[in-house]
Amino acid sequence: MKFKSVFDIIGPVMIGPSSSHTAGAARIGLVTRELFGRQPKWAKVYLYGSFAETYKGHGTDIAIIGGLLGFDTFDERIKTSFDLAKEAGLTFEFIPETGHTEHPNTARLVIGDESAEMELIGVSIGGGKIEISELNGFPLRLSGNHSAILVVHDDKPGSIAKVASCLAEQNINIGHMEVSRKEQGQMALMVIEVDEHIEEHVLQQIALLPHITQVTKISD
């Protein structure tokens, strides 16, 4: 058996008793915040499988809220995230569900503020690693372990090629890429994981391309 890194063996530095239930949960919350672009004002967290059964005892709840506040897995403030959320004006609700999911450690986060809402499904796959499987109804596979760009665009010919060319001009290598759409010719989504750090000016260049409506970066 080969391991990609030491983290595959021992897991990341984390707060809490379980890498899947705490570190993974914190990472799901953090990626959700990054995709939203700011701290939400409210959050509804639907928990499935073992997340739903043990979320209080294993600290899954405080970890997710800590992530929504911008805390990484090693941040000691996760332990007091409920109190810090109250101070920050973030209200939240946890809702255990009994429905079947493909993975036992699954959370569906619905967050928002006065100007926008967002829905995301995240899975903690072990060792503090996660996978985002759905964003606002778009199916995707995003690990959250690499720098990534999410590009919302009109489903027009050449849109994907233009974004790929823009990254190539900046010597940014694409490690994984997925595209999806709800209907032909309507809104579509590119998910691009890359090997290099993404500078802000690269995002600005992509945002100026034809048919691009939104560009979001996730840090590794």
Side-chain angles (χ1 to χ4, degrees), residues 136-176:
N136 286 343
F138 283 103
L140 67 146
R141 189 181 66 184
L142 177 66
S143 71
N145 296 316
H146 303 280
S147 294
I149 308 171
L150 276 72
V151 182
V152 180
H153 62 101
D154 296 330
D155 183 29
K156 301 293 184 182
S159 297
I160 297 170
K162 288 183 174 67
V163 171
S165 295
C166 183
L167 293 174
E169 290 171 2
Q170 299 295 325
N171 292 316
I172 296 175
N173 186 55
I174 296 174
H176 176 79

Side-chain angles (χ1 to χ4, degrees), residues 46-53 95-109 120-125 131 133-134:
Y46 300 84
L47 301 172
Y48 299 84
S50 60
F51 264 7
E53 296 168 1
I95 305 162
E97 295 280 10
T98 58
H100 175 74
T101 56
E102 292 185 6
H103 195 281
N105 300 328
T106 298
R108 178 166 64 93
L109 280 68
L120 174 150
I121 296 178
V123 177
S124 178
I125 60 176
E131 191 168 281
S133 61
E134 187 175 306

Side-chain angles (χ1 to χ4, degrees), residues 3-13 19 73 126-129 145:
F3 295 96
K4 294 181 180 179
S5 74
V6 68
F7 295 109
D8 292 336
I9 305 173
I10 64 172
V13 177
S19 61
T73 56
K129 295 185 176 183
N145 296 316

Side-chain angles (χ1 to χ4, degrees), residues 26-203:
R27 189 64 179 158
I28 290 171
L30 184 59
V31 169
T32 301
R33 177 193 170 108
E34 289 184 345
L35 289 172
F36 194 59
R38 56 193 180 276
Q39 181 191 293
K41 294 294 185 182
W42 56 266
K44 290 186 177 182
V45 183
Y46 300 84
L47 301 172
Y48 299 84
S50 60
F51 264 7
E53 296 168 1
T54 64
Y55 70 97
K56 291 182 179 180
H58 283 190
T60 304
D61 48 1
I62 61 172
I64 289 177
I65 297 305
L68 290 176
L69 291 172
F71 305 156
D72 211 335
T73 56
F74 53 80
D75 198 315
E76 291 283 344
R77 292 175 294 176
I78 285 177
K79 296 178 180 179
T80 57
S81 63
F82 281 9
D83 292 334
L84 294 173
K86 184 177 180 179
E87 294 175 7
L90 169 60
T91 61
F92 55 87
E93 178 183 5
F94 285 89
I95 305 162
E97 295 280 10
T98 58
H100 175 74
T101 56
E102 292 185 6
H103 195 281
N105 300 328
T106 298
R108 178 166 64 93
L109 280 68
V110 183
I111 65 171
D113 57 18
E114 60 278 356
S115 58
E117 293 185 17
M118 189 184 83
E119 181 174 342
L120 174 150
I121 296 178
V123 177
S124 178
I125 60 176
K129 295 185 176 183
I130 69 166
E131 191 168 281
I132 304 303
S133 61
E134 187 175 306
L135 175 64
N136 286 343
F138 283 103
L140 67 146
R141 189 181 66 184
L142 177 66
S143 71
N145 296 316
H146 303 280
S147 294
I149 308 171
L150 276 72
V151 182
V152 180
H153 62 101
D154 296 330
D155 183 29
K156 301 293 184 182
S159 297
I160 297 170
K162 288 183 174 67
V163 171
S165 295
C166 183
L167 293 174
E169 290 171 2
Q170 299 295 325
N171 292 316
I172 296 175
N173 186 55
I174 296 174
H176 176 79
M177 182 176 185
E178 291 189 3
V179 295
S180 59
R181 63 187 182 184
K182 293 184 177 180
E183 292 184 25
Q184 182 178 349
Q186 302 299 315
M187 183 184 295
L189 175 68
M190 298 181 222
V191 180
I192 309 169
E193 291 189 340
V194 298
D195 296 332
E196 291 78 22
H197 176 71
I198 308 163
E199 300 289 347
E200 190 64 30
H201 70 88
V202 177
L203 302 179

